[in-house]
Amino acid sequence: MKNPTIEKETRMYLFDLTNTALENGFKADDSWELVLGTEAQKTKIQKDYYPAVTAKIFGEIALPVYYTIKSRLHQPLNTIEQGLDVKTVLKDHLNYVIAYNPKRQRR
């Protein structure tokens, strides 16, 4: 059985991504770059890119939520992401799922 909390967080985040893309006129070739990061990374990405969609995900569900979002966006995991575990996520304070479009830098 799927974890309802993971499913809920995933659905809410994907809903926000879809709405933000529509509100900002994303074209078919526009895509989201997804990061599981710290508060400092979130702040830097929000400063450098617009729009950026962030969500704070707590504790042990951060990694499964991130993996589920990546999967639903049909984005493969890179080598670093494949090596992550819950212990590392908690130790390194990787509490934020952050999405941004690399083609949309702030000027």
Side-chain angles (χ1 to χ4, degrees), residues 76-89:
L77 298 174
N78 64 35
T79 306
I80 295 169
E81 292 168 338
Q82 289 174 357
L84 286 175
D85 59 19
V86 172
K87 189 175 178 179
T88 303
V89 169

Side-chain angles (χ1 to χ4, degrees), residues 17-32 50-51 101-104:
L17 280 182
T18 301
N19 282 345
T20 302
L22 289 171
E23 289 170 3
N24 288 279
F26 273 38
K27 302 203 178 3
D29 64 337
D30 285 332
S31 63
W32 294 106
Y50 183 82
N101 183 317
K103 295 190 289 185
R104 294 180 176 236

Side-chain angles (χ1 to χ4, degrees), residues 42-107:
K42 173 192 76 96
T43 301
K44 177 157 179 33
I45 289 170
Q46 286 177 320
K47 180 181 168 212
D48 294 344
Y49 297 93
Y50 183 82
V53 178
T54 65
K56 188 168 188 174
I57 311 291
F58 291 98
E60 294 80 23
I61 70 165
L63 193 57
V65 167
Y66 179 74
Y67 283 169
T68 305
I69 293 168
K70 290 276 284 194
S71 172
R72 297 223 181 129
L73 292 175
H74 307 291
Q75 295 181 359
L77 298 174
N78 64 35
T79 306
I80 295 169
E81 292 168 338
Q82 289 174 357
L84 286 175
D85 59 19
V86 172
K87 189 175 178 179
T88 303
V89 169
L90 293 172
K91 178 178 68 71
D92 294 346
H93 304 287
L94 303 176
N95 298 324
Y96 289 90
V97 176
I98 311 155
Y100 66 97
N101 183 317
K103 295 190 289 185
R104 294 180 176 236
Q105 284 189 304
R106 289 186 188 260
R107 298 180 203 267

